[in-house]
Coordinates of all heavy atoms in Angstrom, one line a residue:
M1 N -3.6 -33.2 21.8 CA -2.8 -32.1 21.2 C -3.6 -30.8 21.4 O -4.8 -30.8 21.1 CB -2.5 -32.4 19.8 CG -1.6 -31.4 19.1 SD -0.9 -32.0 17.6 CE -2.0 -31.5 16.4
A2 N -2.9 -29.7 21.8 CA -3.6 -28.5 22.0 C -4.0 -27.9 20.6 O -3.3 -28.0 19.6 CB -2.6 -27.5 22.7
R3 N -5.2 -27.2 20.6 CA -5.7 -26.6 19.4 C -5.1 -25.2 19.3 O -5.0 -24.4 20.2 CB -7.2 -26.5 19.6 CG -7.9 -25.8 18.4 CD -9.4 -25.7 18.6 NE -9.8 -24.7 19.6 CZ -9.9 -23.4 19.2 NH1 -9.7 -23.0 18.0 NH2 -10.3 -22.5 20.1
V4 N -4.6 -24.9 18.1 CA -4.1 -23.6 17.8 C -5.3 -22.7 17.4 O -6.0 -23.1 16.5 CB -3.0 -23.6 16.6 CG1 -2.6 -22.2 16.3 CG2 -1.9 -24.5 17.0
P5 N -5.5 -21.6 18.0 CA -6.6 -20.7 17.7 C -6.6 -20.3 16.3 O -5.5 -20.0 15.7 CB -6.4 -19.5 18.7 CG -5.6 -20.0 19.8 CD -4.7 -21.0 19.1
S6 N -7.8 -20.2 15.7 CA -7.9 -19.8 14.3 C -7.4 -18.4 14.1 O -6.9 -18.0 13.0 CB -9.3 -19.9 13.8 OG -10.2 -19.0 14.5
S7 N -7.4 -17.5 15.1 CA -6.9 -16.2 15.0 C -5.4 -16.2 14.8 O -4.9 -15.4 14.0 CB -7.3 -15.4 16.3 OG -6.9 -16.0 17.4
V8 N -4.7 -17.1 15.5 CA -3.3 -17.2 15.3 C -2.9 -17.7 13.9 O -2.0 -17.2 13.3 CB -2.7 -18.1 16.4 CG1 -1.2 -18.4 16.2 CG2 -2.9 -17.5 17.8
V9 N -3.7 -18.7 13.5 CA -3.4 -19.3 12.1 C -3.7 -18.2 11.0 O -2.8 -18.1 10.1 CB -4.4 -20.5 11.9 CG1 -4.2 -21.0 10.4 CG2 -4.1 -21.6 12.9
A10 N -4.7 -17.5 11.2 CA -5.0 -16.4 10.1 C -3.9 -15.3 10.1 O -3.5 -15.0 9.1 CB -6.4 -15.8 10.4
A11 N -3.6 -14.9 11.3 CA -2.5 -13.9 11.4 C -1.2 -14.4 10.8 O -0.5 -13.7 10.1 CB -2.4 -13.4 12.8
A12 N -0.9 -15.6 11.2 CA 0.4 -16.2 10.7 C 0.3 -16.4 9.2 O 1.4 -16.3 8.5 CB 0.6 -17.6 11.4
G13 N -0.8 -16.7 8.6 CA -0.9 -16.8 7.2 C -0.7 -15.5 6.5 O 0.1 -15.5 5.5
L14 N -1.2 -14.4 7.0 CA -0.9 -13.1 6.4 C 0.5 -12.7 6.5 O 1.2 -12.3 5.6 CB -1.9 -12.0 7.0 CG -3.3 -12.2 6.5 CD1 -4.3 -11.4 7.4 CD2 -3.5 -11.8 5.1
V15 N 1.0 -12.8 7.8 CA 2.4 -12.4 8.0 C 3.4 -13.3 7.3 O 4.3 -12.9 6.7 CB 2.7 -12.3 9.5 CG1 4.2 -12.0 9.8 CG2 1.8 -11.2 10.2
G16 N 3.1 -14.6 7.5 CA 4.0 -15.6 6.9 C 4.0 -15.6 5.4 O 5.1 -15.8 4.8
G17 N 2.9 -15.4 4.8 CA 2.8 -15.3 3.4 C 3.6 -14.2 2.8 O 4.4 -14.3 1.9
Y18 N 3.5 -13.0 3.5 CA 4.3 -11.9 3.0 C 5.8 -12.1 3.3 O 6.6 -11.9 2.4 CB 3.9 -10.6 3.8 CG 4.8 -9.5 3.5 CD1 4.8 -8.9 2.2 CD2 5.7 -9.0 4.4 CE1 5.7 -7.9 1.9 CE2 6.6 -8.0 4.1 CZ 6.5 -7.4 2.8 OH 7.4 -6.4 2.5
A19 N 6.1 -12.7 4.4 CA 7.5 -12.9 4.7 C 8.2 -13.9 3.7 O 9.3 -13.7 3.2 CB 7.7 -13.4 6.1
V20 N 7.4 -15.0 3.4 CA 8.0 -16.0 2.5 C 8.1 -15.3 1.1 O 9.2 -15.5 0.4 CB 7.1 -17.2 2.4 CG1 7.4 -18.1 1.2 CG2 7.2 -18.0 3.7
A21 N 7.1 -14.6 0.6 CA 7.2 -13.9 -0.7 C 8.4 -12.9 -0.7 O 9.1 -12.9 -1.7 CB 5.9 -13.2 -1.0
R22 N 8.5 -12.2 0.3 CA 9.6 -11.2 0.3 C 11.0 -11.8 0.4 O 11.9 -11.4 -0.4 CB 9.4 -10.2 1.5 CG 10.4 -9.2 1.6 CD 10.1 -8.2 2.7 NE 11.2 -7.2 2.8 CZ 11.0 -5.9 2.9 NH1 9.8 -5.5 2.8 NH2 12.0 -5.1 3.0
W23 N 11.2 -12.8 1.3 CA 12.5 -13.3 1.5 C 12.9 -14.3 0.4 O 14.1 -14.4 0.2 CB 12.6 -13.9 2.9 CG 12.6 -12.8 3.9 CD1 13.1 -11.5 3.8 CD2 12.0 -12.9 5.2 NE1 12.9 -10.8 4.9 CE2 12.2 -11.6 5.8 CE3 11.4 -13.9 5.9 CZ2 11.8 -11.3 7.1 CZ3 11.0 -13.6 7.2 CH2 11.2 -12.3 7.8
T24 N 12.0 -15.0 -0.2 CA 12.4 -15.9 -1.3 C 12.3 -15.3 -2.6 O 12.8 -15.8 -3.6 CB 11.4 -17.1 -1.3 OG1 10.1 -16.7 -1.6 CG2 11.5 -17.9 0.0
K25 N 11.7 -14.1 -2.7 CA 11.4 -13.4 -3.9 C 10.6 -14.2 -4.9 O 10.7 -14.1 -6.1 CB 12.7 -12.9 -4.6 CG 13.6 -12.0 -3.7 CD 14.6 -11.3 -4.5 CE 15.5 -10.4 -3.6 NZ 15.1 -9.9 -2.4
K26 N 9.8 -15.1 -4.3 CA 8.8 -15.9 -5.1 C 7.4 -15.7 -4.6 O 7.0 -16.3 -3.6 CB 9.2 -17.4 -5.0 CG 10.6 -17.7 -5.6 CD 10.9 -19.1 -5.6 CE 12.2 -19.5 -6.2 NZ 13.0 -18.6 -7.0
R27 N 6.7 -14.8 -5.2 CA 5.4 -14.4 -4.7 C 4.4 -15.6 -4.7 O 3.6 -15.7 -3.8 CB 4.8 -13.3 -5.6 CG 5.5 -12.0 -5.3 CD 5.0 -10.9 -6.2 NE 3.7 -10.6 -5.8 CZ 3.1 -9.4 -5.9 NH1 3.8 -8.4 -6.4 NH2 1.9 -9.2 -5.6
P28 N 4.5 -16.5 -5.7 CA 3.6 -17.7 -5.6 C 3.8 -18.5 -4.4 O 2.9 -19.1 -3.8 CB 3.9 -18.5 -6.9 CG 4.4 -17.4 -7.9 CD 5.2 -16.5 -7.0
L29 N 5.1 -18.6 -3.9 CA 5.3 -19.4 -2.7 C 4.7 -18.7 -1.5 O 4.1 -19.4 -0.6 CB 6.8 -19.5 -2.5 CG 7.3 -20.5 -1.5 CD1 6.7 -21.9 -1.7 CD2 8.8 -20.6 -1.5
G30 N 4.7 -17.4 -1.4 CA 4.0 -16.7 -0.4 C 2.5 -16.9 -0.5 O 1.8 -17.1 0.5
G31 N 2.0 -17.0 -1.7 CA 0.6 -17.3 -1.9 C 0.2 -18.7 -1.4 O -0.9 -18.9 -0.9
V32 N 1.1 -19.6 -1.5 CA 0.8 -21.0 -1.0 C 0.7 -20.9 0.5 O -0.2 -21.5 1.1 CB 2.0 -22.0 -1.4 CG1 1.8 -23.3 -0.7 CG2 1.9 -22.2 -2.9
V33 N 1.6 -20.2 1.2 CA 1.5 -20.1 2.6 C 0.2 -19.3 3.0 O -0.5 -19.8 3.9 CB 2.7 -19.3 3.2 CG1 2.6 -18.9 4.6 CG2 4.0 -20.1 2.9
L34 N -0.1 -18.3 2.3 CA -1.3 -17.5 2.6 C -2.6 -18.4 2.4 O -3.5 -18.4 3.2 CB -1.4 -16.3 1.7 CG -2.7 -15.4 1.8 CD1 -2.5 -14.5 2.9 CD2 -2.9 -14.7 0.5
G35 N -2.6 -19.1 1.3 CA -3.7 -20.0 1.0 C -3.9 -21.2 2.0 O -5.0 -21.5 2.4
A36 N -2.8 -21.8 2.3 CA -2.8 -22.9 3.2 C -3.3 -22.5 4.6 O -4.2 -23.2 5.2 CB -1.5 -23.6 3.3
A37 N -2.8 -21.4 5.1 CA -3.3 -20.9 6.4 C -4.8 -20.5 6.3 O -5.6 -20.7 7.2 CB -2.5 -19.7 6.8
G38 N -5.2 -19.9 5.2 CA -6.6 -19.5 5.0 C -7.5 -20.7 5.0 O -8.6 -20.7 5.6
V39 N -7.1 -21.8 4.4 CA -7.9 -23.1 4.4 C -8.0 -23.6 5.8 O -9.1 -24.0 6.2 CB -7.3 -24.1 3.4 CG1 -7.9 -25.5 3.6 CG2 -7.5 -23.6 2.0
V40 N -6.9 -23.7 6.5 CA -6.9 -24.2 7.9 C -7.8 -23.4 8.8 O -8.6 -23.9 9.5 CB -5.5 -24.3 8.4 CG1 -5.5 -24.7 9.9 CG2 -4.7 -25.4 7.7
A41 N -7.6 -22.0 8.7 CA -8.4 -21.1 9.5 C -9.9 -21.2 9.1 O -10.8 -21.3 10.0 CB -7.9 -19.7 9.4
G42 N -10.2 -21.3 7.8 CA -11.5 -21.4 7.3 C -12.3 -22.6 7.8 O -13.4 -22.6 8.1
R43 N -11.6 -23.7 7.9 CA -12.2 -25.0 8.4 C -12.6 -24.8 9.8 O -13.6 -25.2 10.3 CB -11.3 -26.1 8.2 CG -11.1 -26.5 6.7 CD -10.0 -27.5 6.5 NE -10.7 -28.8 6.6 CZ -10.1 -30.0 6.6 NH1 -8.8 -30.0 6.5 NH2 -10.7 -31.1 6.7
E44 N -11.7 -24.2 10.6 CA -12.0 -23.9 12.0 C -13.1 -22.9 12.2 O -14.0 -23.1 13.0 CB -10.7 -23.4 12.7 CG -10.9 -23.4 14.2 CD -11.1 -24.7 14.9 OE1 -10.8 -25.7 14.3 OE2 -11.6 -24.7 16.0
W45 N -13.2 -21.9 11.3 CA -14.2 -20.9 11.4 C -15.6 -21.6 11.1 O -16.6 -21.3 11.8 CB -14.0 -19.8 10.4 CG -12.8 -18.9 10.7 CD1 -12.3 -18.7 11.9 CD2 -12.0 -18.2 9.8 NE1 -11.2 -17.8 11.8 CE2 -11.0 -17.5 10.5 CE3 -12.1 -18.1 8.4 CZ2 -10.0 -16.7 9.9 CZ3 -11.1 -17.3 7.8 CH2 -10.1 -16.6 8.5
H46 N -15.6 -22.5 10.1 CA -16.8 -23.2 9.8 C -17.2 -24.1 10.9 O -18.4 -24.2 11.2 CB -16.6 -24.0 8.5 CG -17.9 -24.5 8.0 ND1 -18.3 -25.8 8.3 CD2 -18.8 -24.0 7.1 CE1 -19.5 -26.0 7.7 NE2 -19.8 -24.9 7.0
K47 N -16.3 -24.8 11.5 CA -16.6 -25.7 12.6 C -17.2 -25.0 13.8 O -18.1 -25.4 14.4 CB -15.4 -26.5 13.0 CG -15.6 -27.5 14.0 CD -14.5 -28.5 14.2 CE -13.2 -27.9 14.5 NZ -12.1 -28.8 14.9
R48 N -16.6 -23.8 14.1 CA -17.0 -23.1 15.3 C -18.1 -22.1 15.1 O -18.9 -21.8 16.1 CB -15.8 -22.3 15.9 CG -14.5 -23.1 16.0 CD -14.2 -23.7 17.2 NE -13.7 -22.9 18.3 CZ -14.0 -23.1 19.5 NH1 -14.8 -24.1 19.9 NH2 -13.6 -22.3 20.5
G49 N -18.3 -21.6 13.9 CA -19.3 -20.6 13.7 C -20.3 -20.8 12.6 O -21.2 -20.0 12.3
G50 N -20.1 -21.9 11.8 CA -21.0 -22.2 10.7 C -20.5 -21.4 9.4 O -19.5 -20.7 9.4
A51 N -21.3 -21.6 8.4 CA -21.0 -21.1 7.1 C -21.0 -19.5 7.1 O -20.1 -18.9 6.5 CB -22.0 -21.6 6.1
P52 N -21.9 -18.9 7.8 CA -21.9 -17.4 7.8 C -20.6 -16.8 8.4 O -20.0 -15.9 7.9 CB -23.1 -17.0 8.6 CG -24.0 -18.1 8.5 CD -23.1 -19.3 8.5
A53 N -20.1 -17.4 9.5 CA -18.9 -17.0 10.1 C -17.7 -17.3 9.2 O -16.8 -16.4 9.0 CB -18.7 -17.7 11.5
A54 N -17.7 -18.4 8.6 CA -16.6 -18.8 7.7 C -16.5 -17.9 6.5 O -15.5 -17.4 6.1 CB -16.7 -20.2 7.3
A55 N -17.7 -17.6 5.9 CA -17.7 -16.7 4.8 C -17.3 -15.3 5.1 O -16.5 -14.6 4.4 CB -19.2 -16.7 4.2
G56 N -17.8 -14.8 6.3 CA -17.4 -13.4 6.7 C -16.0 -13.3 7.0 O -15.3 -12.3 6.6
L57 N -15.5 -14.2 7.8 CA -14.0 -14.1 8.1 C -13.1 -14.4 6.9 O -12.1 -13.8 6.8 CB -13.8 -15.1 9.3 CG -14.4 -14.7 10.6 CD1 -14.3 -15.8 11.7 CD2 -13.7 -13.4 11.2
G58 N -13.6 -15.3 6.1 CA -12.8 -15.6 4.8 C -12.7 -14.3 4.0 O -11.7 -14.0 3.4
A59 N -13.9 -13.6 3.9 CA -13.9 -12.3 3.1 C -13.0 -11.3 3.8 O -12.2 -10.6 3.1 CB -15.3 -11.8 3.0
L60 N -13.0 -11.2 5.1 CA -12.1 -10.3 5.8 C -10.6 -10.7 5.6 O -9.8 -9.8 5.4 CB -12.4 -10.3 7.3 CG -11.6 -9.3 8.1 CD1 -11.9 -7.9 7.7 CD2 -12.0 -9.4 9.6
Y61 N -10.3 -12.0 5.6 CA -9.0 -12.5 5.4 C -8.5 -12.0 4.0 O -7.4 -11.5 3.9 CB -9.0 -14.0 5.5 CG -7.6 -14.7 5.4 CD1 -6.7 -14.6 6.5 CD2 -7.2 -15.4 4.3 CE1 -5.5 -15.3 6.4 CE2 -6.0 -16.0 4.2 CZ -5.2 -16.0 5.3 OH -3.9 -16.6 5.3
L62 N -9.3 -12.2 3.0 CA -8.9 -11.8 1.6 C -8.8 -10.2 1.5 O -8.0 -9.7 0.9 CB -9.9 -12.3 0.6 CG -9.9 -13.8 0.4 CD1 -11.0 -14.2 -0.5 CD2 -8.5 -14.2 -0.1
A63 N -9.8 -9.5 2.2 CA -9.7 -8.1 2.2 C -8.4 -7.6 2.9 O -7.9 -6.6 2.5 CB -10.9 -7.5 2.9
G64 N -8.0 -8.3 4.0 CA -6.8 -7.9 4.7 C -5.6 -8.1 3.7 O -4.7 -7.2 3.7
F65 N -5.6 -9.2 3.0 CA -4.5 -9.4 2.0 C -4.5 -8.3 1.0 O -3.5 -7.6 0.7 CB -4.7 -10.8 1.4 CG -3.8 -11.0 0.2 CD1 -2.4 -11.1 0.3 CD2 -4.4 -11.0 -1.1 CE1 -1.6 -11.2 -0.9 CE2 -3.6 -11.2 -2.2 CZ -2.2 -11.3 -2.1
A66 N -5.6 -8.0 0.4 CA -5.7 -7.0 -0.7 C -5.5 -5.6 -0.2 O -4.9 -4.8 -0.8 CB -7.1 -7.2 -1.4
G67 N -6.1 -5.3 1.0 CA -6.0 -4.0 1.6 C -4.6 -3.6 2.0 O -4.2 -2.4 2.1
A68 N -3.8 -4.6 2.4 CA -2.4 -4.3 2.8 C -1.6 -3.7 1.7 O -0.6 -3.0 1.9 CB -1.8 -5.6 3.4
H69 N -1.9 -4.1 0.5 CA -1.1 -3.6 -0.7 C -1.2 -2.1 -0.8 O -0.1 -1.4 -0.8 CB -1.5 -4.3 -2.0 CG -1.1 -5.7 -2.0 ND1 -1.8 -6.7 -1.4 CD2 0.0 -6.3 -2.6 CE1 -1.1 -7.9 -1.6 NE2 -0.1 -7.6 -2.4
P70 N -2.4 -1.5 -0.9 CA -2.4 0.0 -1.0 C -2.0 0.7 0.3 O -1.4 1.8 0.3 CB -3.8 0.3 -1.4 CG -4.6 -0.9 -1.1 CD -3.7 -2.0 -1.1
L71 N -2.3 0.1 1.4 CA -1.9 0.6 2.7 C -0.4 0.7 2.8 O 0.2 1.6 3.4 CB -2.5 -0.2 3.8 CG -2.2 0.3 5.2 CD1 -2.8 1.8 5.4 CD2 -2.9 -0.6 6.3
A72 N 0.3 -0.3 2.2 CA 1.8 -0.3 2.3 C 2.4 0.9 1.7 O 3.5 1.3 2.1 CB 2.3 -1.6 1.7
K73 N 1.8 1.4 0.7 CA 2.3 2.6 0.0 C 2.3 3.9 0.9 O 3.1 4.8 0.7 CB 1.5 2.9 -1.3 CG 1.7 1.9 -2.3 CD 0.8 2.2 -3.6 CE 0.7 1.1 -4.5 NZ 1.8 0.7 -5.3
K74 N 1.4 3.8 1.9 CA 1.3 5.0 2.8 C 2.1 4.8 4.1 O 2.7 5.7 4.6 CB -0.2 5.2 3.2 CG -1.0 5.6 2.0 CD -2.5 5.8 2.4 CE -3.4 6.0 1.3 NZ -3.3 7.1 0.5
V75 N 2.1 3.5 4.7 CA 2.7 3.3 6.0 C 3.9 2.4 5.9 O 4.6 2.2 6.9 CB 1.7 2.8 7.0 CG1 0.6 3.8 7.2 CG2 1.2 1.4 6.7
G76 N 4.2 1.7 4.8 CA 5.2 0.7 4.7 C 4.7 -0.7 4.7 O 3.6 -0.9 5.2
A77 N 5.4 -1.6 4.1 CA 4.9 -2.9 4.0 C 4.7 -3.7 5.3 O 3.6 -4.2 5.5 CB 5.9 -3.7 3.1
W78 N 5.7 -3.7 6.1 CA 5.5 -4.5 7.4 C 4.4 -3.9 8.3 O 3.6 -4.7 8.8 CB 6.8 -4.6 8.2 CG 7.7 -5.7 7.6 CD1 8.9 -5.6 7.0 CD2 7.4 -7.1 7.7 NE1 9.3 -6.8 6.6 CE2 8.4 -7.8 7.1 CE3 6.3 -7.8 8.2 CZ2 8.5 -9.2 6.9 CZ3 6.4 -9.2 8.1 CH2 7.4 -9.9 7.5
P79 N 4.3 -2.6 8.5 CA 3.2 -2.1 9.3 C 1.8 -2.4 8.7 O 0.9 -2.7 9.4 CB 3.4 -0.5 9.3 CG 4.9 -0.4 9.1 CD 5.3 -1.5 8.2
A80 N 1.7 -2.4 7.3 CA 0.5 -2.7 6.7 C 0.1 -4.1 6.9 O -1.1 -4.4 7.2 CB 0.6 -2.4 5.2
V81 N 1.1 -5.0 6.7 CA 0.8 -6.5 6.9 C 0.4 -6.8 8.4 O -0.5 -7.5 8.6 CB 2.0 -7.3 6.4 CG1 1.8 -8.8 6.8 CG2 2.1 -7.2 4.9
I82 N 1.2 -6.2 9.3 CA 0.9 -6.4 10.7 C -0.5 -5.8 11.1 O -1.2 -6.5 11.8 CB 2.0 -5.8 11.6 CG1 3.3 -6.4 11.3 CG2 1.6 -5.9 13.1 CD1 3.4 -7.9 11.7
G83 N -0.8 -4.7 10.6 CA -2.1 -4.1 10.8 C -3.3 -5.0 10.3 O -4.2 -5.2 11.0
A84 N -3.1 -5.4 9.1 CA -4.1 -6.3 8.5 C -4.3 -7.6 9.3 O -5.4 -8.1 9.6 CB -3.8 -6.6 7.0
A85 N -3.1 -8.2 9.6 CA -3.2 -9.4 10.4 C -3.8 -9.2 11.7 O -4.5 -10.1 12.2 CB -1.7 -10.0 10.5
S86 N -3.6 -8.1 12.4 CA -4.2 -7.8 13.7 C -5.7 -7.7 13.6 O -6.4 -8.2 14.5 CB -3.6 -6.5 14.2 OG -2.2 -6.6 14.4
V87 N -6.2 -7.0 12.6 CA -7.6 -6.9 12.4 C -8.3 -8.2 12.2 O -9.3 -8.6 12.8 CB -7.9 -5.9 11.2 CG1 -9.4 -5.9 10.9 CG2 -7.5 -4.5 11.6
V88 N -7.7 -9.0 11.3 CA -8.2 -10.3 11.0 C -8.2 -11.2 12.2 O -9.1 -11.9 12.6 CB -7.5 -11.0 9.8 CG1 -7.9 -12.4 9.6 CG2 -7.7 -10.2 8.5
A89 N -7.1 -11.2 13.0 CA -6.9 -12.0 14.2 C -8.0 -11.6 15.2 O -8.6 -12.5 15.9 CB -5.5 -11.9 14.7
A90 N -8.1 -10.3 15.4 CA -9.1 -9.8 16.4 C -10.5 -10.3 16.1 O -11.3 -10.8 16.9 CB -9.1 -8.3 16.5
A91 N -10.9 -10.1 14.8 CA -12.2 -10.6 14.4 C -12.4 -12.1 14.5 O -13.5 -12.6 15.0 CB -12.5 -10.1 12.9
S92 N -11.4 -12.8 14.2 CA -11.4 -14.2 14.3 C -11.6 -14.7 15.7 O -12.3 -15.6 16.0 CB -10.2 -14.9 13.6 OG -10.2 -16.3 13.7
W93 N -10.9 -14.0 16.6 CA -10.9 -14.4 18.0 C -12.4 -14.1 18.5 O -12.9 -15.0 19.2 CB -9.9 -13.6 18.8 CG -10.0 -14.0 20.3 CD1 -9.4 -15.0 20.8 CD2 -10.7 -13.3 21.3 NE1 -9.6 -15.1 22.2 CE2 -10.4 -14.0 22.5 CE3 -11.5 -12.1 21.3 CZ2 -11.0 -13.6 23.7 CZ3 -12.0 -11.7 22.5 CH2 -11.8 -12.5 23.7
V94 N -12.9 -13.0 18.2 CA -14.3 -12.6 18.6 C -15.3 -13.6 18.1 O -16.2 -14.1 18.8 CB -14.7 -11.2 18.2 CG1 -16.1 -10.9 18.5 CG2 -13.8 -10.2 19.0
V95 N -15.2 -14.0 16.8 CA -16.2 -14.8 16.2 C -16.1 -16.3 16.5 O -17.0 -17.0 16.8 CB -16.3 -14.5 14.7 CG1 -17.2 -15.5 14.0 CG2 -16.7 -13.1 14.4
A96 N -14.8 -16.8 16.5 CA -14.6 -18.2 16.5 C -13.8 -18.7 17.7 O -14.0 -19.9 18.1 CB -13.9 -18.6 15.2
D97 N -12.9 -17.9 18.3 CA -12.0 -18.5 19.3 C -12.5 -18.2 20.7 O -12.2 -19.0 21.6 CB -10.6 -18.0 19.1 CG -10.0 -18.4 17.8 OD1 -10.4 -19.5 17.3 OD2 -9.1 -17.7 17.3
R98 N -13.1 -17.1 21.0 CA -13.5 -16.7 22.3 C -14.6 -17.7 22.9 O -15.5 -18.1 22.2 CB -14.1 -15.3 22.3 CG -14.7 -14.8 23.5 CD -15.1 -13.4 23.4 NE -16.2 -13.3 22.4 CZ -16.9 -12.2 22.3 NH1 -16.8 -11.2 23.1 NH2 -17.9 -12.2 21.4
G99 N -14.4 -18.1 24.0 CA -15.4 -18.9 24.7 C -15.4 -20.3 24.3 O -15.8 -21.3 24.6

């Protein structure tokens, strides 16, 4: 079975978590999606880069989630979420998926 890159999982967690929360109007359900993707990505980050990579990328993932909230007030919700997901995906690709 082909491996899904951790960068894709992390971006999907941020975008999917927001989408689920928005469309179901149940924020905790969006949090489940966000958390599940974070755990899956975190396990891959740890496997590919060790504890420092997993900790750094995990912190960035959480910062992307938290940072999208105030950014959404300036640029809109979807652009903020897509921007945060893009930053997290790029960092994840550089640290864990490339090569």
Side-chain angles (χ1 to χ4, degrees):
M1 185 160 92
R3 180 179 76 84
V4 177
S6 63
S7 54
V8 172
V9 174
L14 288 164
V15 173
Y18 173 68
V20 167
R22 181 177 177 128
W23 291 327
T24 65
K25 300 196 183 337
K26 296 186 183 336
R27 290 178 67 150
L29 191 55
V32 168
V33 172
L34 178 81
V39 167
V40 171
R43 292 174 86 185
E44 188 65 21
W45 295 331
H46 189 270
K47 183 167 55 168
R48 312 265 286 140
L57 290 169
L60 182 62
Y61 186 75
L62 291 175
F65 166 69
H69 287 81
L71 183 60
K73 294 178 193 285
K74 296 181 191 294
V75 301
W78 278 113
V81 171
I82 297 297
S86 298
V87 169
V88 172
S92 179
W93 182 81
V94 168
V95 172
D97 295 335
R98 175 175 64 163

